[in-house]
Amino acid sequence: MPELLNLVNDAEKDENWLEARRLLEAASTLAPEITQITKALCDCLLELGDAEEALRIADLQILQHPNDLDFWNVKSRAMHELNRPHEARDAANRMLEISPDNALAWRNLGLVARSLGDMNEAETFYLKSLEQRPKDVALHLQLSHVRKYTDDDPHIHQMRSALAKIGKDNPASGLLHFALFEALHAVKQHDSAFEHLAKGNALLSKRYGFELRPKLALAALTKALVAKPLQEQDTPSGQRFIFVTGLPRSGTTLTERVLSRAPNVQACGELSFVKEAIVERFDAIRNRPDKKLTPDDVQIMRDHLLKRFSEISDGSEIQIDKMPLNFRWIGLICTALPEAKIVHLNRDPRAVAWSLYKHTFKRGSHDFIYKFEDIAGYMVLHRDLMKHWRHICGNRLFDLNYSDLVSDQLSTTQALAEAVGVEWTPELLSPEKATNYVRTSSAGQVTKPLYTGSDESWRTYETQLAPLMHALSTLDFI
């Protein structure tokens, strides 16, 4: 057992969560009575995005250990990931009943409040958590997303003090640099703000790394699997699906909220279902001599997707998955689900590239965002794939221009509704009134009425971004 746990520690240090999961599941089988192993497995599952399995295990453990804070914390985090805010809040409040002023409980309550659009309440909860965890860099970043800063804000001083203790070049300070960017940008100390942003990106780039070549190879295989235009076929009656795709930060959250205002539509957030279904099949396809997609592959993917969507259905006829990076699999989605419609977001490449560079994403899931050349390279991959999918999918794929959506709501939302087969009503003009749970970094924006001008925000840092703009220009994006 000690040797097995040492291997777990090595896998976690390398952030090899799949290997850590395999080892922890083995350890848990050998020693189910050791709750620390089970807790580590739950944390690993959350890192991998498997909140359902983490919740299942936590619920079983809570039956045996009803006052164990760690398992209640897992439950609260899992409920948040599963878009079940009220249950996430209940679990966090249960933590406070067991241990008043528990820092993790306050943090979880802050996450729920922000996702529900209550930034003031989120700030209050984050501040309570920071009282107990002043060196928690992720918590500082979470607070920076909801706080309205003043020139002499005490939180800016607190973050600078924490950075001095951790070390500005310490890989652990990456998120703290992003938090200081948010705060200093808000008080218009732009030169200092960008210095922190550049440092944060440099540190995270070293941590996560990025290689474009494997992603290009995967894109080439995907195009080869669906190489010919899809034939018209009868659409199965019953449940229908809309996939909102595009580069991250291109307007997918806003689009989901617009569509969620239509009758009989369920906004499901960013789901892992498509990736689950396809990655499993890719492993099998790669091992075949001809590397072809078979009817059995298509049926297996379809069965998996229908099962997963049914598990979260609220009874609405239409379900929306707004995972942006599903653009990689559009042809496979349309093959497995003839009843699906695809919305693809287009936005000013300068605005997208800037927004990617200044944001962080959970678990380093978007490893192409930390360097200008990597952002530009990935945007080329995206452009190439979309050219192929438009040829393959025809009118099942609707291109939506973000600038049209915010500047000409009426005609754009009418065209969108017609393209995806939902009923247009005036409610589609008020996406800020949508009630779906928003766990992405867009939470603070999409709860406000639509506004124009965000595509020009990069100009504040036009000098610092000159190399990025040059790369985009060289690649014919601008």
Side-chain angles (χ1 to χ4, degrees):
M1 181 65 73
E3 183 177 345
L4 185 60
L5 294 180
N6 286 335
L7 291 173
V8 170
N9 288 333
D10 291 341
E12 290 180 340
K13 286 178 183 176
D14 294 338
E15 298 192 13
N16 185 349
W17 299 111
L18 284 172
E19 177 65 7
R21 175 179 184 170
R22 184 185 70 80
L23 294 167
L24 284 165
E25 286 176 339
S28 181
T29 300
L30 291 171
E33 72 283 358
I34 302 178
T35 59
Q36 288 306 117
I37 294 176
T38 309
K39 292 172 183 178
L41 175 58
C42 288
D43 288 337
C44 180
L45 291 167
L46 289 171
E47 288 290 341
L48 287 167
D50 194 347
E52 291 168 316
E53 180 63 9
L55 177 61
R56 186 191 69 80
I57 294 172
D59 278 338
L60 290 173
Q61 291 296 322
I62 286 170
L63 290 174
Q64 301 176 51
H65 312 284
N67 292 323
D68 191 304
L69 281 168
D70 292 328
F71 287 121
W72 279 107
N73 181 41
V74 169
K75 179 164 186 168
S76 181
R77 292 166 60 197
M79 289 296 189
H80 171 66
E81 294 287 330
L82 293 169
N83 298 327
R84 294 160 65 177
H86 302 297
E87 292 162 284
R89 180 186 290 157
D90 289 344
N93 283 327
R94 175 62 183 138
M95 293 171 69
L96 293 176
E97 290 175 5
I98 298 168
S99 175
D101 289 328
N102 180 274
L104 297 180
W106 291 123
R107 180 204 62 189
N108 293 349
L109 288 171
L111 291 172
V112 172
R114 180 177 182 238
S115 295
L116 290 172
D118 192 335
M119 303 303 157
N120 292 330
E121 187 175 56
E123 179 182 4
T124 298
F125 291 142
Y126 289 147
L127 286 170
K128 285 180 176 289
S129 187
L130 270 174
E131 290 175 5
Q132 313 293 327
R133 300 168 65 92
K135 295 182 180 179
D136 187 328
V137 296
L139 197 50
H140 283 292
L141 181 60
Q142 288 158 351
L143 177 58
S144 75
H145 288 150
V146 300
R147 188 173 178 87
K148 295 178 180 178
Y149 286 95
T150 58
D151 288 335
D152 196 35
D153 199 291
H155 185 228
I156 295 177
H157 296 295
Q158 185 182 9
M159 287 192 288
R160 283 174 167 157
S161 175
L163 185 62
K165 293 176 181 176
I166 298 170
K168 67 182 179 63
D169 297 318
N170 188 327
S173 69
L175 296 183
L176 194 53
H177 284 289
F178 276 86
L180 278 162
F181 163 75
E182 291 286 345
L184 295 172
H185 172 76
V187 298
K188 302 186 185 308
Q189 295 183 29
H190 294 134
D191 288 343
S192 181
F194 195 87
E195 288 176 7
H196 282 290
L197 180 62
K199 173 60 76 173
N201 273 298
L203 291 172
L204 292 186
S205 176
K206 288 181 181 178
R207 177 178 179 181
Y208 294 114
F210 174 70
E211 290 187 48
L212 182 60
R213 186 173 297 176
K215 297 184 187 298
L216 290 172
L218 183 61
L221 174 60
T222 308
K223 289 194 295 182
L225 292 178
V226 191
K228 297 179 180 179
L230 298 177
Q231 300 298 312
E232 291 286 340
Q233 53 183 299
D234 293 335
T235 300
S237 60
Q239 199 69 13
R240 292 189 287 135
F241 309 97
I242 299 172
F243 293 86
V244 181
T245 69
L247 285 170
R249 309 301 303 160
S250 60
T252 55
T253 301
L254 173 60
T255 303
E256 180 195 42
R257 287 178 74 85
V258 169
L259 290 171
S260 74
R261 299 282 287 160
N264 211 16
V265 172
Q266 178 188 2
C268 301
E270 296 183 1
L271 303 174
S272 61
F273 300 169
V274 172
K275 185 177 180 181
E276 293 169 3
I278 289 172
V279 168
E280 180 188 10
R281 285 296 86 205
F282 268 29
D283 290 340
I285 291 168
R286 281 196 185 100
N287 291 327
R288 297 175 192 151
D290 62 357
K291 294 181 172 52
K292 297 287 187 182
L293 184 72
T294 69
D296 284 345
D297 293 324
V298 174
Q299 189 61 50
I300 290 170
M301 288 190 294
R302 176 175 177 79
D303 291 344
H304 180 93
L305 290 168
L306 292 178
K307 177 178 180 294
R308 296 291 272 140
F309 274 108
S310 69
E311 290 170 350
I312 64 167
S313 174
D314 66 0
S316 298
E317 180 185 349
I318 301 171
Q319 291 175 284
I320 306 174
D321 177 354
K322 63 159 289 280
M323 176 62 78
L325 294 185
N326 278 340
F327 79 80
R328 297 171 295 178
W329 327 114
I330 286 174
L332 291 165
I333 294 170
C334 289
T335 301
L337 295 174
E339 60 269 54
K341 295 286 188 179
I342 311 294
V343 179
H344 173 258
L345 268 294
N346 296 302
R347 189 176 183 182
D348 186 324
R350 297 167 297 183
V352 173
W354 164 235
S355 192
L356 288 171
Y357 187 69
K358 71 187 180 81
H359 280 89
T360 59
F361 293 84
K362 187 169 53 180
R363 294 184 279 269
S365 56
H366 300 348
D367 51 4
F368 59 89
I369 64 173
Y370 306 115
K371 292 181 179 179
F372 293 159
E373 60 268 31
D374 292 341
I375 293 172
Y378 196 82
M379 290 175 75
V380 171
L381 178 152
H382 166 257
R383 180 174 62 187
D384 179 64
L385 262 178
M386 290 313 305
K387 181 180 179 180
H388 180 72
W389 295 142
R390 291 185 186 102
H391 173 65
I392 294 298
C393 300
N395 62 10
R396 292 180 59 190
L397 193 162
F398 178 75
D399 275 298
L400 175 63
N401 193 308
Y402 174 83
S403 63
D404 291 341
L405 183 60
V406 298
S407 64
D408 185 8
Q409 282 182 264
L410 180 60
S411 62
T412 304
T413 58
Q414 288 174 335
L416 171 63
E418 181 179 1
V420 298
V422 303
E423 179 185 348
W424 187 90
T425 70
E427 280 72 21
L428 272 69
L429 301 176
S430 304
E432 74 278 6
K433 296 180 182 179
T435 57
N436 55 299
Y437 200 49
V438 180
R439 293 185 291 108
T440 69
S441 53
S442 302
Q445 292 133 347
V446 296
T447 53
K448 301 174 183 176
L450 290 189
Y451 59 94
T452 60
S454 62
D455 277 359
E456 300 298 315
S457 64
W458 64 273
R459 294 190 184 278
T460 302
Y461 299 96
E462 190 165 1
T463 300
Q464 295 94 327
L465 294 175
L468 175 59
M469 298 304 147
H470 177 73
L472 296 179
S473 176
T474 300
L475 295 167
D476 292 327
F477 282 107
I478 56 177

